Amino acid sequence: EIVMTQSPASLSVSPGERATLSCRASQSISSKLAWYQQKPGQSPRLLIYGASTRATGIPDRFSGSGSGTEFTLTISSLQSEDFAVYYCQQYSNWPPGPGFGQGTKVQIK
Amino acid sequence: QLQLQESGSGLVMPSQTLSLTCAVSGGSISSGGYSWNWIRQPPGKGLEWIGYIYQNGNTYYNPSLKSRVTISVDRSENQFSLRLSSVTAADTAVYYCARAEVMIVPYFHYWGQGTLVTVSS
């Protein structure tokens, strides 16, 4: 089973600053990685798939990079609506199927 | 615009069976090309994929839950359902339905709003 590990667990950032979130896979998943944003009381929203492709309607301040086992989500200039929890998800490994990281909470500094 | 809406019992007794339905609007389950998924999230915790069904009825389940899970589809009602048997407090979670493109291991473009299921006597 592939284990997805996100770091840091939480991140305090000022509006307008850059945020860099990391996700590591316990074995290679090529580029089969997605990122989601989840705000309190809401369902997750797909941001990135294929490690670096933005989903429809996602602003270009969100960018993803990486392949193999190391991945990064960068938010270039944080807006107030970007404070949320971010999850990575691998879609490479069967069994057991899709697996998520434990999340990174981006908070206002 | 595709919309997914979960419904079902919000309180289930331990050892009983949890039953949820996801109503799909703005698109047809019968059109093919997608998998219809269930994902859950215990309060304050991360996400766990439960399984999915294709419009032809083929299913794939998370091996850790496979012995207790059944996902079915009702094409005439444009909805799909989840049954989870022998529930315990560990099954307390927000349950989401979601749509993905056809692939053995999917990622999820569209999500329902989620429904909280509490397992308690």
Side-chain angles (χ1 to χ4, degrees):
Chain A
E1 176 180 348
I2 297 176
V3 177
M4 306 302 294
T5 303
Q6 292 186 239
S7 62
S10 64
L11 185 61
S12 294
V13 184
S14 299
E17 290 188 340
R18 175 188 297 259
T20 302
L21 289 65
S22 295
C23 177
R24 173 177 293 178
S26 60
Q27 63 189 72
S28 178
I29 58 170
S30 184
S31 296
K32 294 187 175 181
L33 185 97
W35 289 95
Y36 301 86
Q37 176 194 67
Q38 187 177 34
K39 298 179 181 179
Q42 296 186 16
S43 54
R45 177 175 71 145
L46 178 67
L47 298 175
I48 301 282
Y49 60 93
S52 60
T53 302
R54 277 187 299 277
T56 302
I58 302 304
D60 61 6
R61 65 180 181 273
F62 292 92
S63 63
S65 63
S67 66
T69 62
E70 301 284 343
F71 301 88
T72 301
L73 175 69
T74 301
I75 312 170
S76 60
S77 177
L78 270 155
Q79 307 298 302
S80 58
E81 63 266 30
D82 300 335
F83 293 97
V85 178
Y86 292 82
Y87 293 96
C88 62
Q89 179 229 319
Q90 65 82 13
Y91 54 99
S92 169
N93 182 229
W94 180 267
F100 295 86
Q102 79 278 21
T104 291
K105 184 175 184 178
V106 178
Q107 306 177 99
I108 299 175
K109 186 173 183 179
Chain B
Q1 176 76 346
L2 185 78
Q3 292 191 327
L4 306 171
Q5 180 66 59
E6 303 90 348
S7 63
S9 175
L11 179 64
V12 182
M13 300 277 283
S15 79
Q16 299 301 302
T17 297
L18 175 161
S19 295
L20 297 173
T21 295
C22 180
V24 179
S25 58
S28 173
I29 286 180
S30 297
S31 63
Y34 302 105
S35 66
W36 303 92
N37 294 259
W38 288 99
I39 298 157
R40 69 181 182 178
Q41 184 173 36
K45 296 187 178 180
L47 298 155
E48 179 181 34
W49 174 75
I50 298 170
Y52 65 71
I53 191 166
Y54 291 133
Q55 62 90 18
N56 65 3
N58 287 349
T59 54
Y60 287 79
Y61 300 138
N62 187 326
S64 69
L65 297 169
K66 184 176 182 179
S67 64
R68 299 194 292 131
V69 172
T70 302
I71 298 176
S72 59
V73 64
D74 185 340
R75 287 177 289 276
S76 66
E77 294 291 334
N78 211 35
Q79 63 187 28
F80 62 106
S81 298
L82 169 70
R83 289 173 58 87
L84 181 66
S85 64
S86 304
V87 297
T88 69
D91 295 309
T92 294
V94 175
Y95 285 76
Y96 297 100
C97 57
R99 191 187 84 172
E101 296 187 357
V102 170
M103 54 182 70
I104 295 297
V105 189
Y107 59 91
F108 312 102
H109 279 273
Y110 291 97
W111 297 65
Q113 66 183 29
T115 188
L116 175 63
V117 177
T118 302
V119 178
S120 176
S121 56

